Amino acid sequence: MGEMDVMNWIKRMKIGHRMALAFALVLLILLATVAYALVSLFAMSSLVDGFYATPFRALRLAERINSNVEGIGRSMLQAMMTDYVDVSELYIDEANTFMSQTDDALAELNTLMDDQGVLLSAIETQLGELSGVKESIAAKIRGADHAGAKRIYDSRFVRVSAATLQQTDDICDLAENIGYQYMTRSNQD
C-alpha cells in the first residue's frame, strides 16, 4: 500500500471512524509516554537507593562519629568544671553514652565499607585511645583531681580527638568520592 492509497483510504473513512483513529493514535502516544516515564522512574529509584545504601549512609555515620567525639569532649569539660560529684558523674555518663553511640556507628560503618579496612582500623585505634584517655580523665575527676584531669585533657584528649576527627573527615571525603563515582557511572549507563 502506497502513501496515496493510505491517504485515499483515510479520505474514504467516515468522520466518526477518522476521529476514533485519531483518538486511538493519541491514546497510543500517551501510553508510550507513560511507559517511558515509569521505566525512567524505576531507574531513578534504583539510582537513589544505591546512592543512599553506601555513600550517603557512610557520610552520615562518619558525621555521627564526629558529633559524638565532640560530645565526649564537651561532656568531659563540663565534668571537670563542676565541683559537685553527682553532676560530674552525670557528665561522665553522658560521655560514656556518646562513646557507646560512636562504637555502634563505627560497627555499622565497618559493615558498610568493609573494603576500607585500613582507614577504618585507624579510626578504631583512635577511638580506643580516645576511650582510654576519657577513662583517665574520669578517674582524675572521681579522685577530685580536676587539675590533673585538665592536664590530661589538654595534653592527650585534644590531640587524640583531633586525630579522630581527621580520620572521620577522611571517611567523609571517601564517601563523597564514592557517591560522585556512583552517580557518574550511573549517568553513563
Side-chain angles (χ1 to χ4, degrees):
M1 235 165 122
E3 185 178 324
M4 288 302 277
D5 292 339
V6 172
M7 291 299 289
N8 285 333
W9 178 71
I10 292 174
K11 284 181 183 178
R12 285 192 311 258
M13 288 176 74
K14 293 182 182 180
I15 190 74
H17 290 142
R18 276 190 263 173
M19 288 179 66
L21 181 62
F23 180 73
L25 285 174
V26 168
L27 190 60
L28 184 65
I29 291 170
L30 176 69
L31 289 174
T33 304
V34 167
Y36 178 76
L38 286 173
V39 167
S40 297
L41 184 64
F42 287 125
M44 181 60 72
S45 173
S46 174
L47 180 66
V48 169
D49 287 347
F51 180 73
Y52 180 77
T54 302
F56 181 75
R57 187 77 184 130
L59 183 63
R60 297 294 297 149
L61 289 167
E63 289 173 348
R64 187 182 314 156
I65 291 170
N66 268 355
S67 176
N68 288 339
V69 167
E70 291 169 354
I72 292 166
R74 277 191 312 274
S75 296
M76 296 312 289
L77 272 176
Q78 290 170 326
M80 284 186 288
M81 296 173 104
T82 184
D83 292 330
Y84 300 104
V85 176
D86 292 343
V87 175
S88 290
E89 282 300 321
L90 288 174
Y91 287 126
I92 292 170
D93 287 344
E94 183 178 67
N96 289 334
T97 301
F98 281 125
M99 195 73 217
S100 175
Q101 291 171 353
T102 301
D103 292 341
D104 293 345
L106 183 62
E108 190 173 342
L109 196 58
N110 268 321
T111 59
L112 190 63
M113 301 182 74
D114 58 352
D115 59 333
Q116 300 299 321
V118 173
L119 188 55
L120 293 174
S121 67
I123 291 176
E124 283 179 27
T125 301
Q126 293 292 341
L127 288 173
E129 189 176 346
L130 186 72
S131 180
V133 172
K134 176 188 66 69
E135 290 304 320
S136 297
I137 293 171
K140 292 287 186 184
I141 291 170
R142 288 182 181 116
D145 184 5
H146 290 265
K150 178 83 169 102
R151 277 192 305 278
I152 293 171
Y153 184 89
D154 289 342
S155 66
R156 292 178 52 208
F157 187 87
V158 171
R159 178 185 51 80
V160 173
S161 64
T164 304
L165 293 173
Q166 180 58 52
Q167 294 290 333
T168 54
D169 284 345
D170 291 347
I171 288 286
C172 289
D173 292 343
L174 178 67
E176 288 171 0
N177 287 336
I178 291 170
Y180 176 75
Q181 290 170 1
Y182 181 82
M183 296 301 281
T184 303
R185 184 176 57 241
S186 296
N187 285 338
Q188 291 173 351
D189 295 341

